[in-house]
Amino acid sequence: MIRVHELAITQSVVEVVTERTGNSKVSSVRLRVGRLSGVVPDSMRFCFDLVTAGTPLEGASLDIEQPEGRGRCRACGDDVVLVDPILLCRCGSADVEVLTGHELAVASVEMA
Amino acid sequence: MCATCGCGQADVRVESLASDGPADRDHHPRHGHLHEHAHPHEHAHAHEHADPHEHADPHEHAHLHEHEHGSARVRTSARAAGPVPGVVEIETALLAKNDSLAARNRTRLVAQGITALNLMSSPGSGKTSLLCRTISELAPTRPVAVIEGDQETRIDAEKIRATGAPVVQINTGSGCHLDADMVARGLAELNPQAGALVFVENVGNLVCPALFDLGETARVVVVSVTEGEDKPLKYPQMFAAADLVLINKIDLLPYVDVDLDRLVAHCREVKPGVSVLPVSVTTGAGMDRWRDWLTDPQPA
């Protein structure tokens, strides 16, 4: 499903990268999109070609790391794997501190 | 880009509706028909300073320039350093720009003692009706102003205008959410008085608005009982972002297959301990507790 916030967010990939690298041609882009971030990587891939057309990122490959959601239960101290934004520990507590999974960042780029 | 209405940026339009009659609606004569302009470039920058009435607050202007020059400087220095061949570490959050604009909105609002509430829901939950009733109940005691976000039309802003409250309509065109930049422009146009309560009615959508900080004081998610009791579980990002959940249309509970207690429990499954207020905008039930909450809204 294509949702428009992925379009806006993929557009910001171009802005973040070109602010750093200017007009130099970029051959690949590595993103970090956590599984709890609310952003769908496939939608970003779909949008990427559209928004990079005519920019220094045109034709670049897109590599998306997807860190899983991990947290720690404040009630029992257990580590919890979070498959969705519903924070629930096996012990029944919903008081879970999210450690990873919310990432939404450009990690690095490779220059052509 | 025109700093008043942002007509140069994609197809977003910001428009204020004067509360004292339709004659004032074309406050911005060269923008009277923004949506008919096919090419944003035609607007250029020429009128940015054209009419002093459009920029009631000189500080607003100063900040905009500061920002534009500021980011230009950053870009220049980055280019001067030049990209090195091979891998370049970027490590920049994708929402960093929105988040920094939101932080700036927040600082300005706090400085002026303005409380801003970001209202989010699916289309048709009753946000606009809630606002109309709230404004008429609060109006004698507290200044209220509204930023209306919709993809198209100023139907909602016209409804708010009928209450007498100052209102700015933002049409996002193809956009599915408000972002911090749109709200900054909306606030510049609205120019709410110090101490005011500003409602920002986001685009009706339970997905995208959850990701974008606007600089608001608190976030209110509205869900109506006719939407079913599973909404918080189906759209957890949105309900997890809520500082308050308002359950509207409780007068319809006898007619729908929804258990109010289960709906409340689902809200708290996604956001433990979140405040939940059941209301009916139609009958007025629960509106007293909502008004109480509005006296000092706090982020959860």
Side-chain angles (χ1 to χ4, degrees):
Chain A
M1 180 175 71
I2 303 304
R3 304 176 300 182
V4 191
H5 73 279
E6 275 91 358
L7 185 60
I9 286 166
T10 311
Q11 180 65 47
S12 69
V13 172
V14 177
E15 289 166 18
V16 163
V17 171
T18 54
E19 279 203 8
R20 283 286 297 278
T21 60
N23 290 325
S24 306
K25 184 129 181 68
V26 171
S27 62
S28 76
V29 177
R30 175 178 280 264
L31 304 181
R32 205 171 292 125
V33 178
R35 291 184 191 272
L36 306 179
S37 68
V39 173
V40 180
D42 279 348
S43 299
M44 293 188 79
R45 287 192 189 93
F46 179 87
C47 296
F48 189 73
D49 289 346
L50 291 174
V51 304
T52 56
T55 76
L57 282 67
E58 183 169 349
S61 63
L62 184 62
D63 181 11
I64 304 182
E65 264 178 65
Q66 296 180 69
E68 68 176 355
R70 300 197 73 88
R72 183 160 298 131
C73 177
R74 290 195 186 94
C76 72
D78 260 9
D79 287 338
V80 188
V81 174
L82 303 162
V83 293
D84 57 36
I86 297 173
L87 310 178
L88 193 62
C89 178
R90 279 181 299 273
C91 76
S93 168
D95 190 8
V96 175
E97 180 192 6
V98 179
L99 302 174
T100 63
H102 282 310
E103 297 84 351
L104 189 54
V106 181
S108 61
V109 295
E110 203 160 333
M111 307 309 296
Chain B
M1 184 184 78
C2 166
T4 302
C5 68
C7 51
Q9 184 176 327
D11 50 356
V12 173
R13 302 179 299 278
V14 179
E15 179 184 19
S16 80
L17 280 75
S19 55
D20 50 353
D24 282 349
R25 238 179 282 163
D26 284 342
H27 71 286
H28 200 173
R30 301 187 57 174
H31 297 261
H33 308 279
L34 287 177
H35 46 282
E36 290 172 12
H37 290 286
H39 307 289
H41 293 293
E42 285 171 20
H43 292 285
H45 302 266
H47 50 278
E48 231 173 78
H49 301 271
D51 182 354
H53 293 294
E54 290 162 22
H55 303 285
D57 179 3
H59 295 291
E60 198 58 51
H61 225 77
H63 282 291
L64 285 166
H65 281 273
E66 187 184 295
H67 167 60
E68 280 162 18
H69 296 166
S71 57
R73 258 202 308 276
V74 171
R75 276 200 296 276
T76 310
S77 62
R79 285 209 188 97
V84 289
V87 173
V88 178
E89 297 295 325
I90 306 281
E91 291 301 342
T92 302
L94 282 172
L95 291 171
K97 187 177 164 196
N98 183 74
D99 290 348
S100 72
L101 291 170
R104 193 187 325 192
N105 289 348
R106 190 165 281 121
T107 304
R108 285 187 197 175
L109 292 167
V110 168
Q112 298 174 64
I114 295 171
T115 300
L117 298 175
N118 180 3
L119 257 69
M120 299 180 283
S121 79
S122 50
S125 67
K127 288 190 299 301
T128 310
S129 305
L130 170 73
L131 287 185
C132 290
R133 181 159 190 147
T134 305
I135 291 165
S136 62
E137 291 182 2
L138 291 179
T141 55
R142 194 167 181 188
V144 180
V146 178
I147 295 176
E148 275 291 339
D150 283 296
Q151 285 199 320
E152 295 297 343
T153 81
R154 51 190 194 200
I155 292 171
D156 281 1
E158 296 282 5
K159 288 180 188 165
I160 300 293
R161 188 168 72 112
T163 68
V167 56
V168 165
Q169 176 80 55
I170 299 177
N171 285 136
T172 58
S174 57
C176 56
H177 59 268
L178 295 178
D179 64 28
D181 179 51
M182 294 176 206
V183 169
R185 285 151 52 194
L187 286 169
E189 184 79 4
L190 188 63
N191 198 17
Q193 67 183 90
L197 175 62
V198 175
F199 290 104
V200 180
E201 183 178 335
N202 218 312
V203 179
N205 177 348
L206 279 178
V207 182
C208 316
L211 287 178
F212 293 84
D213 185 4
L214 306 180
E216 70 277 322
T217 311
R219 296 172 154 198
V220 179
V221 174
V222 183
V223 60
S224 53
V225 299
T226 51
E227 295 169 55
E229 61 197 26
D230 297 334
K231 274 287 185 300
L233 303 179
K234 290 175 176 171
Y235 300 92
Q237 296 272 353
M238 176 57 76
F239 286 83
D243 298 308
L244 173 75
V245 177
L246 213 63
I247 300 180
N248 190 21
K249 308 189 190 178
I250 56 168
D251 53 304
L252 299 181
L253 274 171
Y255 312 106
V256 292
D257 186 20
V258 165
D259 182 313
L260 185 59
D261 290 340
R262 262 206 300 273
L263 176 53
V264 172
H266 288 159
C267 293
R268 297 201 170 125
E269 221 170 288
V270 176
K271 176 86 183 240
V274 70
S275 298
V276 180
L277 293 181
V279 301
S280 165
V281 172
T282 303
T283 67
M287 288 295 288
D288 49 344
R289 292 177 66 201
W290 163 239
R291 286 197 310 275
D292 286 347
W293 187 85
L294 288 174
T295 56
D296 186 25
Q298 296 291 334

